[in-house]
Coordinates of all heavy atoms in Angstrom, one line a residue:
T117 N 38.7 55.4 13.3 CA 39.7 54.3 13.2 C 41.0 54.8 13.1 O 41.4 55.7 12.3 CB 39.4 53.4 12.1 OG1 38.1 52.7 12.3 CG2 40.3 52.3 11.9
Y118 N 42.0 54.3 13.9 CA 43.4 54.6 13.8 C 44.1 53.4 13.0 O 43.6 52.2 13.0 CB 44.1 54.7 15.2 CG 43.7 56.1 15.7 CD1 42.5 56.4 16.3 CD2 44.7 57.1 15.8 CE1 42.1 57.6 16.7 CE2 44.4 58.3 16.2 CZ 43.1 58.6 16.7 OH 42.8 59.8 17.2
I119 N 45.1 53.8 12.3 CA 45.8 52.9 11.3 C 47.2 53.0 11.5 O 47.8 54.1 11.8 CB 45.4 53.3 9.9 CG1 43.9 53.1 9.7 CG2 46.3 52.7 8.8 CD1 43.4 51.5 9.7
V120 N 48.0 51.9 11.4 CA 49.5 51.9 11.5 C 50.0 52.1 10.2 O 49.7 51.5 9.1 CB 50.0 50.6 12.1 CG1 51.5 50.8 12.3 CG2 49.4 50.3 13.4
T121 N 51.1 53.0 10.0 CA 51.6 53.3 8.7 C 53.1 52.9 8.7 O 53.6 52.3 9.7 CB 51.6 54.9 8.4 OG1 52.4 55.6 9.3 CG2 50.2 55.4 8.4
D122 N 53.8 53.1 7.6 CA 55.1 52.5 7.4 C 56.2 53.1 8.4 O 57.3 52.5 8.4 CB 55.6 52.6 6.0 CG 55.5 54.0 5.4 OD1 54.9 54.9 6.1 OD2 55.9 54.2 4.2
N123 N 55.9 54.1 9.1 CA 56.9 54.6 10.2 C 57.1 53.5 11.1 O 58.0 53.5 11.9 CB 56.4 55.8 10.8 CG 56.7 57.0 10.0 OD1 57.2 57.0 8.9 ND2 56.4 58.2 10.7
C124 N 56.1 52.5 11.3 CA 56.3 51.4 12.2 C 57.3 50.3 11.8 O 57.8 49.7 12.8 CB 54.9 50.7 12.3 SG 54.9 49.3 13.5
I125 N 57.7 50.4 10.5 CA 58.7 49.2 10.2 C 60.0 49.4 10.9 O 60.5 50.5 11.0 CB 58.9 49.4 8.7 CG1 57.7 49.1 7.8 CG2 60.1 48.4 8.2 CD1 57.7 49.4 6.4
A126 N 60.4 48.3 11.4 CA 61.6 48.2 12.3 C 61.5 48.9 13.6 O 62.6 48.9 14.4 CB 62.9 48.8 11.5
C127 N 60.4 49.4 14.0 CA 60.2 49.9 15.4 C 60.2 48.7 16.3 O 59.4 47.8 16.1 CB 58.9 50.8 15.5 SG 58.6 51.3 17.2
K128 N 60.8 48.9 17.4 CA 60.9 47.7 18.4 C 60.0 48.0 19.6 O 59.8 47.1 20.5 CB 62.3 47.6 18.9 CG 63.3 47.3 17.8 CD 63.2 45.8 17.5 CE 64.3 45.3 16.4 NZ 64.0 45.8 15.1
Y129 N 59.3 49.1 19.6 CA 58.5 49.4 20.7 C 57.0 48.8 20.5 O 56.6 48.8 19.4 CB 58.3 50.9 20.9 CG 59.7 51.5 21.3 CD1 60.5 52.0 20.3 CD2 60.0 51.5 22.7 CE1 61.8 52.5 20.7 CE2 61.2 52.1 23.0 CZ 62.2 52.6 22.0 OH 63.3 53.1 22.4
T130 N 56.4 48.4 21.6 CA 55.0 47.9 21.6 C 54.2 48.6 22.6 O 53.2 48.1 23.1 CB 55.1 46.4 21.8 OG1 55.7 46.1 23.0 CG2 55.7 45.6 20.7
D131 N 54.5 49.9 22.8 CA 53.8 50.6 23.8 C 52.3 50.7 23.5 O 51.4 50.7 24.2 CB 54.3 52.0 23.9 CG 55.8 52.0 24.2 OD1 56.6 51.3 23.6 OD2 56.3 52.8 25.1
C132 N 52.1 50.8 22.1 CA 50.7 51.0 21.6 C 49.9 49.7 21.9 O 48.7 49.9 22.3 CB 50.8 51.2 20.1 SG 51.7 49.9 19.2
V133 N 50.5 48.6 21.8 CA 49.7 47.3 22.0 C 49.3 47.2 23.5 O 48.2 46.8 23.7 CB 50.7 46.1 21.6 CG1 49.9 44.8 21.9 CG2 51.2 46.2 20.3
E134 N 50.2 47.7 24.3 CA 50.0 47.6 25.8 C 48.8 48.6 26.2 O 48.0 48.2 27.1 CB 51.2 47.9 26.6 CG 52.2 46.7 26.6 CD 53.6 47.1 26.9 OE1 53.8 48.1 27.6 OE2 54.5 46.5 26.4
V135 N 48.6 49.6 25.6 CA 47.6 50.6 26.0 C 46.2 50.3 25.3 O 45.2 50.8 25.8 CB 48.0 52.1 25.9 CG1 49.2 52.4 26.7 CG2 48.1 52.5 24.4
C136 N 46.1 49.6 24.3 CA 44.9 49.4 23.5 C 43.9 48.6 24.4 O 44.1 47.5 24.8 CB 45.2 48.7 22.2 SG 43.6 48.5 21.3
P137 N 42.7 49.3 24.6 CA 41.7 48.6 25.5 C 41.0 47.5 24.9 O 40.4 46.6 25.6 CB 40.7 49.8 25.8 CG 40.9 50.7 24.6 CD 42.3 50.6 24.2
V138 N 41.1 47.3 23.5 CA 40.4 46.3 22.8 C 41.3 45.3 22.2 O 40.9 44.4 21.4 CB 39.3 46.8 21.9 CG1 38.2 47.6 22.6 CG2 39.9 47.7 20.8
D139 N 42.5 45.4 22.4 CA 43.6 44.4 21.8 C 43.4 44.2 20.3 O 43.3 43.1 19.8 CB 43.4 43.1 22.5 CG 44.0 43.1 23.9 OD1 44.9 43.8 24.1 OD2 43.5 42.3 24.8
C140 N 43.3 45.3 19.6 CA 43.1 45.2 18.2 C 44.4 45.4 17.3 O 44.4 45.5 16.1 CB 42.0 46.1 17.6 SG 42.4 47.8 17.9
F141 N 45.6 45.3 18.0 CA 46.9 45.2 17.3 C 47.2 43.9 16.9 O 47.0 42.9 17.7 CB 48.0 45.9 18.2 CG 48.0 47.3 18.2 CD1 47.2 48.0 19.1 CD2 48.6 48.1 17.2 CE1 47.3 49.4 19.2 CE2 48.6 49.4 17.2 CZ 47.9 50.1 18.1
Y142 N 47.7 43.7 15.7 CA 48.2 42.4 15.2 C 49.5 42.6 14.5 O 50.0 43.7 14.2 CB 47.2 41.8 14.1 CG 45.9 41.6 14.6 CD1 44.9 42.6 14.8 CD2 45.5 40.4 15.2 CE1 43.6 42.4 15.4 CE2 44.3 40.1 15.8 CZ 43.3 41.1 15.9 OH 42.1 40.9 16.3
E143 N 50.3 41.5 14.4 CA 51.6 41.5 13.8 C 51.5 41.3 12.3 O 51.0 40.3 11.9 CB 52.5 40.5 14.4 CG 53.3 41.0 15.6 CD 54.3 39.9 16.2 OE1 55.2 39.6 15.4 OE2 54.1 39.5 17.2
G144 N 52.1 42.3 11.5 CA 52.2 42.0 10.1 C 53.5 41.4 9.8 O 54.2 40.9 10.7
E145 N 54.0 41.6 8.6 CA 55.3 40.9 8.3 C 56.5 41.6 8.9 O 57.3 41.0 9.4 CB 55.4 40.9 6.7 CG 54.6 39.9 6.1 CD 54.8 39.8 4.6 OE1 55.4 40.7 4.0 OE2 54.3 38.8 4.0
N146 N 56.5 42.8 8.8 CA 57.6 43.6 9.5 C 57.1 44.9 10.3 O 58.0 45.8 10.6 CB 58.6 44.0 8.5 CG 58.0 44.9 7.3 OD1 56.8 45.2 7.4 ND2 58.8 45.2 6.4
M147 N 55.9 44.9 10.6 CA 55.2 46.0 11.4 C 54.0 45.5 11.9 O 53.5 44.5 11.7 CB 55.0 47.2 10.4 CG 54.2 47.0 9.3 SD 53.8 48.3 8.3 CE 52.4 49.1 9.1
L148 N 53.5 46.3 12.9 CA 52.2 46.1 13.5 C 51.1 46.7 12.7 O 51.3 47.6 11.9 CB 52.2 46.7 15.0 CG 53.2 46.2 15.9 CD1 53.1 47.0 17.2 CD2 53.0 44.7 16.2
V149 N 49.9 46.1 12.8 CA 48.8 46.6 12.2 C 47.6 46.8 13.1 O 47.6 46.1 14.2 CB 48.3 45.8 11.0 CG1 49.4 45.9 9.8 CG2 48.0 44.4 11.4
I150 N 46.6 47.6 12.9 CA 45.4 47.7 13.7 C 44.2 47.1 12.8 O 44.1 47.5 11.6 CB 45.1 49.2 14.0 CG1 46.2 49.7 15.0 CG2 43.7 49.3 14.5 CD1 46.1 51.3 15.2
H151 N 43.4 46.3 13.4 CA 42.2 45.8 12.6 C 41.2 47.0 12.6 O 40.7 47.5 13.7 CB 41.6 44.7 13.4 CG 40.6 44.0 12.5 ND1 39.5 44.6 11.9 CD2 40.5 42.7 12.1 CE1 38.8 43.8 11.3 NE2 39.4 42.6 11.3
P152 N 41.0 47.5 11.4 CA 40.1 48.8 11.4 C 38.7 48.6 11.9 O 38.1 49.6 12.3 CB 40.1 49.0 9.9 CG 41.0 48.0 9.2 CD 41.3 47.0 10.1
D153 N 38.2 47.4 11.9 CA 36.8 47.2 12.4 C 36.7 47.0 13.9 O 35.7 47.2 14.6 CB 36.1 46.0 11.7 CG 36.0 46.1 10.3 OD1 35.9 47.4 9.8 OD2 36.0 45.1 9.5
E154 N 37.9 46.6 14.4 CA 38.0 46.3 16.0 C 38.3 47.6 16.7 O 38.0 47.8 17.9 CB 38.9 45.2 16.2 CG 38.4 43.8 15.7 CD 39.4 42.7 15.9 OE1 40.4 42.9 16.6 OE2 39.2 41.7 15.5
C155 N 39.1 48.5 16.1 CA 39.5 49.7 16.7 C 38.3 50.5 17.1 O 37.4 50.8 16.3 CB 40.4 50.5 15.7 SG 40.8 52.2 16.3
I156 N 38.3 51.0 18.4 CA 37.0 51.8 18.8 C 37.4 53.3 18.7 O 36.6 54.1 19.3 CB 36.6 51.4 20.2 CG1 37.7 51.6 21.2 CG2 36.1 49.9 20.2 CD1 37.4 51.4 22.7
D157 N 38.5 53.7 18.1 CA 38.8 55.1 17.8 C 39.0 55.9 19.1 O 38.7 57.1 19.2 CB 37.6 55.7 17.1 CG 38.1 56.8 16.1 OD1 39.3 56.8 15.8 OD2 37.2 57.6 15.6
C158 N 39.5 55.2 20.2 CA 39.8 55.9 21.4 C 40.9 56.9 21.4 O 41.0 57.9 22.1 CB 39.9 54.9 22.6 SG 41.5 54.1 22.5
G159 N 41.9 56.6 20.6 CA 43.1 57.5 20.4 C 44.2 57.3 21.4 O 45.2 58.1 21.3
V160 N 44.1 56.5 22.4 CA 45.2 56.4 23.4 C 46.5 55.9 22.9 O 47.5 56.2 23.4 CB 44.7 55.6 24.6 CG1 43.6 56.2 25.4 CG2 44.5 54.2 24.3
C161 N 46.4 55.1 21.8 CA 47.7 54.6 21.3 C 48.6 55.6 20.5 O 49.7 55.5 20.5 CB 47.4 53.4 20.3 SG 46.4 53.8 18.9
E162 N 47.9 56.5 20.0 CA 48.5 57.5 19.1 C 49.7 58.2 19.7 O 50.8 58.2 19.2 CB 47.5 58.5 18.4 CG 48.0 59.2 17.2 CD 48.5 60.5 17.6 OE1 48.1 61.1 18.6 OE2 49.4 61.1 17.0
P163 N 49.4 58.8 20.9 CA 50.6 59.5 21.5 C 51.7 58.6 22.1 O 52.8 59.0 22.4 CB 50.0 60.4 22.6 CG 48.7 59.8 22.9 CD 48.3 59.1 21.7
E164 N 51.4 57.3 22.2 CA 52.4 56.3 22.7 C 53.4 55.9 21.7 O 54.4 55.3 22.1 CB 51.7 55.0 23.3 CG 50.7 55.3 24.3 CD 51.3 55.8 25.6 OE1 52.5 55.4 25.9 OE2 50.7 56.6 26.3
C165 N 53.1 56.2 20.4 CA 53.9 55.6 19.4 C 55.2 56.6 19.2 O 55.0 57.7 18.9 CB 53.1 55.6 18.0 SG 54.2 55.0 16.7
P166 N 56.4 56.0 19.5 CA 57.6 56.8 19.3 C 57.9 57.1 17.9 O 58.8 58.0 17.6 CB 58.7 55.9 20.0 CG 58.2 54.6 19.9 CD 56.7 54.6 19.9
A167 N 57.3 56.4 17.0 CA 57.7 56.5 15.5 C 56.7 57.4 14.8 O 56.8 57.6 13.6 CB 57.9 55.2 14.9
D168 N 55.7 57.9 15.5 CA 54.6 58.6 14.9 C 53.9 57.9 13.8 O 53.5 58.5 12.8 CB 55.0 60.0 14.5 CG 54.0 61.0 14.3 OD1 53.0 60.8 15.0 OD2 54.1 61.9 13.5
A169 N 53.8 56.5 13.9 CA 53.3 55.7 12.8 C 51.7 55.5 12.8 O 51.2 55.1 11.9 CB 53.9 54.3 13.0
I170 N 51.2 55.8 14.0 CA 49.7 55.6 14.1 C 49.0 56.9 13.8 O 49.1 58.0 14.4 CB 49.4 55.1 15.6 CG1 50.1 53.9 15.8 CG2 47.9 54.9 15.7 CD1 50.0 53.5 17.4
R171 N 48.2 56.8 12.8 CA 47.5 58.0 12.2 C 46.0 57.7 12.2 O 45.6 56.6 11.9 CB 47.9 58.3 10.8 CG 49.4 58.4 10.6 CD 50.2 59.4 11.5 NE 49.5 60.6 11.8 CZ 49.5 61.3 12.8 NH1 50.4 61.0 13.9 NH2 49.0 62.5 12.9
P172 N 45.1 58.8 12.3 CA 43.7 58.6 12.1 C 43.4 58.3 10.6 O 44.1 59.0 9.8 CB 43.1 59.9 12.6 CG 44.2 60.9 12.6 CD 45.4 60.1 12.7
D173 N 42.4 57.5 10.3 CA 42.1 57.2 8.9 C 41.4 58.5 8.2 O 41.1 58.3 7.0 CB 41.3 55.9 8.8 CG 39.8 56.1 9.2 OD1 39.5 57.2 9.9 OD2 39.0 55.2 8.8
T174 N 41.2 59.5 9.0 CA 40.6 60.6 8.3 C 41.6 61.5 7.7 O 41.3 62.5 7.0 CB 39.9 61.5 9.4 OG1 40.8 61.7 10.6 CG2 38.6 60.8 9.9
E175 N 42.9 61.2 7.8 CA 43.9 62.0 7.1 C 43.9 61.6 5.7 O 43.4 60.5 5.2 CB 45.3 61.6 7.7 CG 45.5 62.3 9.0 CD 46.9 62.3 9.6 OE1 47.8 61.6 8.9 OE2 47.2 62.8 10.7
P176 N 44.4 62.5 4.8 CA 44.4 62.3 3.3 C 45.2 61.0 3.0 O 46.2 60.7 3.6 CB 45.1 63.5 2.7 CG 45.0 64.6 3.8 CD 45.0 63.8 5.1
D177 N 44.7 60.4 1.8 CA 45.5 59.3 1.3 C 45.8 58.1 2.2 O 46.7 57.4 2.2 CB 46.8 59.7 0.7 CG 46.6 60.9 -0.4 OD1 45.6 60.8 -1.2 OD2 47.3 61.8 -0.3
M178 N 44.7 57.8 3.1 CA 45.0 56.7 4.0 C 44.3 55.4 3.5 O 44.5 54.4 4.2 CB 44.4 57.1 5.4 CG 45.2 58.1 6.1 SD 46.8 57.4 6.7 CE 46.3 56.3 7.9
E179 N 43.6 55.5 2.4 CA 42.8 54.3 2.0 C 43.7 53.1 1.8 O 43.4 52.0 2.3 CB 42.1 54.5 0.7 CG 40.9 55.5 0.7 CD 41.4 56.9 0.6 OE1 42.7 57.2 0.5 OE2 40.5 57.8 0.6
K180 N 44.9 53.2 1.2 CA 45.7 52.0 1.0 C 46.2 51.5 2.4 O 46.4 50.3 2.5 CB 46.9 52.3 0.1 CG 48.0 53.1 0.7 CD 49.2 53.1 -0.2 CE 50.3 54.1 0.5 NZ 51.7 53.7 0.2
W181 N 46.4 52.4 3.3 CA 46.9 51.9 4.6 C 45.8 51.3 5.4 O 46.1 50.2 6.1 CB 47.6 53.0 5.4 CG 48.9 53.3 4.9 CD1 49.3 54.6 4.2 CD2 50.0 52.6 5.0 NE1 50.6 54.4 3.9 CE2 51.1 53.2 4.4 CE3 50.3 51.2 5.5 CZ2 52.4 52.7 4.1 CZ3 51.6 50.7 5.3 CH2 52.6 51.4 4.7
V182 N 44.6 51.7 5.2 CA 43.5 51.0 5.8 C 43.4 49.6 5.4 O 43.2 48.7 6.1 CB 42.0 51.7 5.6 CG1 40.9 50.9 6.1 CG2 42.2 53.1 6.2
E183 N 43.4 49.4 4.0 CA 43.4 48.1 3.4 C 44.5 47.2 3.8 O 44.4 46.0 4.1 CB 43.2 48.2 1.9 CG 41.9 48.7 1.4 CD 40.7 48.1 2.1 OE1 40.7 46.9 2.2 OE2 40.0 48.9 2.7
F184 N 45.7 47.8 3.9 CA 46.9 47.1 4.4 C 46.7 46.5 5.7 O 47.0 45.4 6.1 CB 48.1 48.0 4.3 CG 49.4 47.4 4.6 CD1 50.2 46.8 3.6 CD2 49.8 47.3 6.0 CE1 51.4 46.1 4.0 CE2 51.0 46.7 6.3 CZ 51.9 46.2 5.3
N185 N 46.2 47.5 6.7 CA 46.0 47.0 8.0 C 45.0 45.9 8.2 O 45.0 45.0 8.9 CB 45.6 48.3 8.8 CG 46.8 49.0 9.3 OD1 47.0 49.2 10.5 ND2 47.6 49.6 8.4
R186 N 43.9 46.1 7.3 CA 42.8 45.0 7.4 C 43.3 43.7 6.9 O 43.2 42.7 7.5 CB 41.7 45.5 6.4 CG 40.5 44.5 6.4 CD 39.4 45.0 5.4 NE 39.0 46.3 5.6 CZ 38.1 46.7 6.5 NH1 37.5 45.8 7.3 NH2 37.8 48.0 6.6
K187 N 44.1 43.7 5.8 CA 44.6 42.5 5.2 C 45.5 41.7 6.2 O 45.3 40.6 6.4 CB 45.5 42.8 4.0 CG 46.2 41.7 3.3 CD 46.9 42.1 2.1 CE 47.9 41.0 1.7 NZ 48.9 41.5 0.7
Y188 N 46.4 42.4 6.8 CA 47.3 41.7 7.8 C 46.7 41.4 9.1 O 47.1 40.4 9.7 CB 48.6 42.5 7.9 CG 49.5 42.3 6.7 CD1 49.6 43.3 5.7 CD2 50.3 41.1 6.6 CE1 50.3 43.0 4.6 CE2 51.0 40.9 5.5 CZ 51.1 41.9 4.4 OH 51.8 41.7 3.3
S189 N 45.7 42.2 9.6 CA 45.1 41.8 10.8 C 44.1 40.6 10.6 O 43.8 39.9 11.6 CB 44.3 43.0 11.4 OG 43.5 43.6 10.5
E190 N 43.6 40.5 9.4 CA 42.7 39.3 9.1 C 43.4 38.1 8.8 O 42.8 37.0 8.7 CB 41.6 39.8 8.1 CG 40.7 40.7 8.7 CD 39.6 41.1 7.7 OE1 39.8 40.8 6.5 OE2 38.6 41.7 8.1
S191 N 44.7 38.2 8.6 CA 45.4 36.9 8.2 C 45.8 36.1 9.4 O 46.4 35.1 9.4 CB 46.7 37.3 7.5 OG 47.6 38.0 8.3
W192 N 45.4 36.6 10.7 CA 45.7 35.8 11.9 C 44.4 34.9 12.2 O 43.3 35.3 12.1 CB 45.8 36.9 13.1 CG 47.2 37.3 13.1 CD1 47.8 38.2 12.2 CD2 48.3 36.7 13.9 NE1 49.1 38.4 12.6 CE2 49.4 37.4 13.5 CE3 48.3 35.8 14.8 CZ2 50.7 37.2 14.1 CZ3 49.5 35.5 15.4 CH2 50.7 36.2 15.1
Ligands
SF4_97 FE1 43.3 50.5 20.2 FE2 42.2 52.9 20.8 FE3 44.5 52.8 19.3 FE4 42.0 52.0 18.2 S1 42.7 54.1 18.8 S2 44.0 50.9 18.1 S3 41.1 51.1 20.1 S4 44.2 52.1 21.5

């Protein structure tokens, strides 16, 4: 699963949303989020992000960002 982190805040690009094959991006309060259960882990969004905000959840200390992404994607 890929997850959006705080580098996304104030980013105006939505290149990631356009390439996602399963449309699992949602709008949070001031950044985009990925629904962790809908993401199919394809990885195509990651190089599209100009802010380097999209990270795999296998990186260290990602738990809080996974929960953040889940919370805001499910509020839709
Ligand atoms: Fe969408 Fe693939 Fe990125 Fe997951 S890794 S958010 S499925 S583009």
Side-chain angles (χ1 to χ4, degrees):
T117 294
Y118 281 75
I119 292 298
V120 185
T121 64
D122 52 355
N123 280 8
C124 179
I125 294 171
C127 175
K128 299 280 186 280
Y129 294 90
T130 53
D131 306 48
C132 54
V133 178
E134 283 158 30
V135 298
C136 180
V138 293
D139 287 332
C140 63
F141 280 91
Y142 296 85
E143 269 185 63
E145 286 185 346
N146 57 4
M147 56 178 273
L148 298 174
V149 291
I150 292 171
H151 194 307
D153 299 332
E154 294 177 3
C155 173
I156 58 171
D157 212 18
C158 71
V160 295
C161 59
E162 194 267 331
E164 299 297 325
C165 177
D168 202 25
I170 301 173
R171 312 303 320 152
D173 72 346
T174 48
E175 288 190 353
D177 302 320
M178 286 294 287
E179 291 85 356
K180 76 169 176 147
W181 285 111
V182 174
E183 289 316 307
F184 183 94
N185 277 243
R186 183 185 304 282
K187 177 180 162 193
Y188 282 97
S189 55
E190 288 181 346
S191 67
W192 277 79

